[in-house]
Amino acid sequence: MPAHRRLRRIYALEDFEPAARRHLPAPIFGYVAGAAETNASYDDNRRAFAEIGFVPRVGVDVSGRSLACDVMGQAFDLPFGIAPMGVSALTAYRGDLVLARAAGQARIPMIVSAASLIPLEEITAANPEVWYQAYLPQHLAEIEALLARVARAGVETLVVTLDSAVVPSRENNLRTGYRTPLRPDLALFWQGITHPRWALGTFLRTFLRHGTPHFENATATRGAPLLSRRAVRDFSGREFLSWDLLAEVRRMWKGHLVLKGILHPDDVTRAAHLGAEGVILSNHGGRQLDGAVSPLRVLTAARRCAPDLPMMLDGGVLRGTDILKALALGARFVFVGRPFNYAASIAGEAGVAHAIDLLRRQLMADLGMLGLTDLAQLDRSVLLCEGFREV
């Protein structure tokens, strides 16, 4: 079925999820959609946005609206980007390239995951402006080699994820049957039969054209194959992470450094003192510590701790109104994950471009209905936060 036909009934980002659920095998969909334990953090990410209302102004000429923004000296056409997502090439054919190309066309950032399956060099060839997200190796020599490779690929913004130091309890993966390493057994064979478009268009097409996928970008060299037990060891936690180690990374890395996965205001202060150019407030989409608060709830406190440090966030963003609420509370930028993964899975690059355009149109309409013409005009005066629980 042509991509445009698969998008006919996609009117908002929420519509991608049920379409992806039908398209993807249950274990693969469950891996993307699932969160940790009781989904408490996942649910709070959405609930936090729902607790805030708007107080719009009227009688304002809003015919000249603009969504352009600037983050860390980089100009973007829209105030959102694509969050890092592992094994995206398992949900969509050449998924990382699909996301990178769509982001480049829209002039927004895309963060390449360390758990991606396509070499970073191929991705930067498709979009030289991508950012790279690292799960740091343990030893300084390995870190230095990785950062040298990232720099050679032309990446200017390094994102270090801090909230995955310990492996979480994701019993949802056990319930849906997702395993690492991926096992080509009868259960997977049955999923292929019952999801033929994914099996033929993504899974078999990948193996026939490119061989067994590997985790290409976690270290300075090619990582473990997707079907290898070594993949578990390579992504089994980062308990050794410390601020001392991050100081060494800051010393080694000459480009922009962004720290992702911060929620405590004191850690925002430490990030500023370390010399980071930005932070991404995040609870990993609800996939790590179950019960960790929504990033939106700590945004005001984080801004007080480091008013000059660009604050970004992810988690629960589905609509233009969500983005405007975050910006009005002091965020400079937001990132969106799962919906772009779903969009790529059902319609490739056209699906991701459609998702970006949906958010663009919502933002343009919502900004005008607020009585504003520029994102810089957003502040708490346009919000009603009486019922909003902040840290």
Side-chain angles (χ1 to χ4, degrees):
M1 183 187 297
H4 69 275
R5 292 183 60 186
R6 293 195 288 270
L7 296 171
R8 283 185 304 180
R9 296 184 181 276
I10 304 295
Y11 307 120
L13 261 58
E14 293 96 319
D15 297 331
F16 283 110
E17 183 170 343
R21 184 189 294 272
R22 293 189 296 270
H23 170 70
L24 293 170
I28 306 299
F29 174 81
Y31 170 75
V32 178
E37 299 187 18
T38 68
N39 291 342
S41 295
Y42 177 88
D43 293 339
D44 192 50
N45 285 346
R46 287 301 303 152
R47 186 163 51 244
F49 285 107
E51 292 173 7
I52 300 174
F54 287 115
V55 186
R57 301 299 301 269
V58 296
V60 180
D61 180 356
V62 294
S63 57
R65 300 189 300 286
S66 171
L67 298 176
C69 64
D70 181 279
V71 182
M72 300 183 299
Q74 302 173 70
F76 299 110
D77 285 357
L78 298 165
F80 62 87
I82 300 177
M85 293 172 285
V87 298
S88 294
L90 187 60
T91 51
Y93 177 70
R94 310 302 278 167
D96 302 294
L97 290 174
V98 162
L99 294 165
R101 286 194 294 260
Q105 287 293 319
R107 284 178 44 82
I108 63 173
M110 175 261 190
I111 308 178
V112 179
S113 170
S116 49
L117 302 176
I118 296 175
L120 179 63
E121 293 77 6
E122 289 186 39
I123 300 171
T124 56
N127 179 355
E129 305 301 321
V130 296
W131 302 3
Y132 170 78
Q133 173 250 356
Y135 293 117
L136 292 176
Q138 182 170 4
H139 303 293
L140 287 178
E142 295 174 332
I143 294 173
E144 190 166 21
L146 171 62
L147 298 186
R149 178 192 172 190
V150 173
R152 284 195 305 271
V155 173
E156 296 183 357
T157 301
L158 173 70
V159 180
V160 179
T161 292
L162 305 180
D163 61 356
S164 57
V166 177
V167 176
S169 174
R170 294 182 188 168
E171 58 233 43
N172 287 331
N173 287 350
L174 301 177
R175 294 190 180 99
T176 61
Y178 182 84
R179 298 173 179 176
T180 300
L182 198 64
R183 298 179 185 176
D185 53 16
L186 287 177
L188 185 61
F189 179 71
W190 174 250
Q191 289 293 330
I193 291 175
T194 55
H195 298 83
R197 190 157 62 84
W198 172 82
L200 296 174
T202 299
F203 190 75
L204 289 177
R205 188 180 177 193
T206 296
F207 276 81
L208 291 175
R209 292 193 177 185
H210 308 283
T212 301
H214 285 61
F215 289 98
E216 299 281 1
N217 304 314
T219 64
T221 58
R222 193 181 206 194
L226 183 63
L227 305 180
S228 166
R229 291 187 181 277
R230 205 182 96 216
V232 178
R233 296 197 301 271
D234 287 353
F235 293 94
S236 59
R238 297 290 185 271
E239 289 89 348
F240 53 81
L241 268 175
S242 69
W243 286 100
D244 290 339
L245 185 62
L246 292 173
E248 291 295 327
V249 172
R250 174 70 284 183
R251 179 184 61 80
M252 296 177 190
W253 180 253
K254 306 308 178 185
H256 295 304
L257 176 64
V258 175
L259 301 183
K260 180 180 183 293
I262 289 176
L263 288 174
H264 199 290
D266 289 351
D267 288 336
V268 173
T269 300
R270 296 197 72 163
H273 290 164
L274 182 78
E277 279 84 13
V279 299
I280 301 177
L281 305 175
S282 174
N283 61 22
H284 217 99
R287 297 166 73 88
Q288 286 297 118
L289 176 62
D290 193 41
V293 298
S294 164
L296 198 68
R297 301 193 189 280
V298 303
L299 179 54
T300 299
R303 290 283 298 155
R304 283 197 297 264
C305 288
D308 297 324
L309 186 65
M311 298 289 158
M312 298 166 271
L313 64 79
D314 65 17
V317 177
L318 287 176
R319 289 191 168 265
T321 48
D322 300 332
I323 296 171
L324 295 181
K325 288 173 183 179
L327 297 182
L329 284 175
R332 292 286 295 278
F333 208 77
V334 306
F335 285 92
V336 182
R338 290 179 177 93
F340 287 127
N341 194 310
Y342 299 145
S345 73
I346 67 169
E349 189 175 340
V352 182
H354 185 59
I356 293 170
D357 192 54
L358 287 172
L359 280 179
R360 178 193 288 110
R361 283 185 276 158
Q362 289 176 359
L363 280 165
M364 282 295 286
D366 298 335
L367 191 66
M369 286 187 283
L370 277 172
L372 304 176
T373 59
D374 190 278
L375 297 175
Q377 297 170 340
L378 284 162
D379 58 30
R380 289 183 79 107
S381 68
V382 303
L383 303 178
L384 181 63
C385 300
E386 288 182 0
F388 180 50
R389 295 182 291 109
E390 293 185 87
V391 172

